[in-house]
Amino acid sequence: MSVQERKQRERAVREHLIVATARELAEQQGWDAVTTRRLAERIEYSQPVLYSHFRGKREIIGAVALEGASEMATALRAATAGADGPRERVAALARTYLGFAEDNPAVYDAMFQLDGGLAFAHEDTPEPLKDAFAALLETLGEVAGDGVHPGLFTETFWACLHGLATLTRAGRLPPADAAHRVELLVDRLAIV
């Protein structure tokens, strides 16, 4: 292995450590607790080393969001692959999406609530975000119904899921009715 390859590998390891540490700190204490000083202390590198990877907290949030989008896409595909029939796939997708939001609140916030400097619904949208949307579209596109644009239907269904996730996390919706909401969403919105 060349010196340059070793340095690139070490850089990638440091970058992964920064993102993982930011994510862990945000999940434990919230995003306000994530500062470059605290990250530098936790990973035992200087702040200049941190800034050599990310220009600031915004870029770190963006990196966590991209990682989360990849994880969500993988989880959605795994959940829908094991379901029989369109209705079951849509229900599995909805449960998995809502479960991801509940189990990873700081990552979900990085993906959809905080400014990570990422473009959505543009040509320059990063690939992990496009792939997460594609994971939704793969299942939802097949149940959009006649004359309904699959992408538009997917956006609408996604907006419903995001609303349920956000309102439940904020304590605006009783968690005891979560399963009933998923069933209602699948039965009334998805034509299956």
Side-chain angles (χ1 to χ4, degrees):
M1 174 182 309
S2 73
V3 172
Q4 183 177 1
E5 289 172 331
R6 181 184 52 78
K7 286 183 179 185
Q8 288 175 339
R9 187 183 75 231
E10 289 171 355
R11 180 173 176 77
V13 167
R14 274 193 314 270
E15 190 167 303
H16 175 74
L17 179 61
I18 294 165
V19 172
T21 304
R23 182 176 174 167
E24 178 183 318
L25 187 57
E27 291 292 0
Q28 291 171 351
Q29 300 176 30
W31 278 103
D32 287 342
V34 179
T35 64
T36 54
R37 172 174 279 157
R38 288 187 79 188
L39 285 174
E41 288 171 3
R42 283 212 175 182
I43 65 172
E44 299 177 348
Y45 283 103
S46 67
Q47 283 182 297
V49 169
L50 205 104
Y51 283 116
S52 74
H53 290 272
F54 300 99
R55 286 182 284 201
K57 183 175 176 176
R58 182 180 188 219
E59 284 189 5
I60 294 169
I61 290 169
V64 170
L66 293 176
E67 187 177 273
S70 293
E71 290 171 10
M72 179 183 276
T74 298
L76 293 173
R77 287 187 176 108
T80 57
D84 292 329
R87 185 190 188 292
E88 291 77 15
R89 280 191 291 280
V90 173
L93 177 135
R95 286 190 301 273
T96 301
Y97 183 98
L98 295 171
F100 183 90
E102 181 181 346
D103 295 342
N104 304 281
V107 173
Y108 192 82
D109 286 348
M111 292 168 65
F112 301 118
Q113 303 293 112
L114 301 174
D115 179 11
L118 304 174
F120 283 81
H122 293 268
E123 283 189 29
D124 61 342
T125 297
E127 200 55 43
L129 298 179
K130 289 179 183 179
D131 189 49
F133 184 78
L136 294 167
L137 181 62
E138 289 161 11
T139 294
L140 296 170
E142 72 177 287
V143 298
D146 294 336
V148 177
H149 187 279
L152 184 60
F153 177 78
T154 300
E155 291 170 349
T156 303
F157 199 94
W158 174 30
C160 292
L161 290 173
H162 177 70
L164 289 173
T166 303
L167 291 170
T168 300
R169 281 187 51 209
R172 303 294 197 273
L173 299 175
D177 294 326
H180 297 296
R181 284 188 203 93
V182 168
E183 294 301 316
L184 183 62
L185 183 62
V186 171
D187 289 341
R188 301 290 185 215
L189 192 57
I191 301 170
V192 287

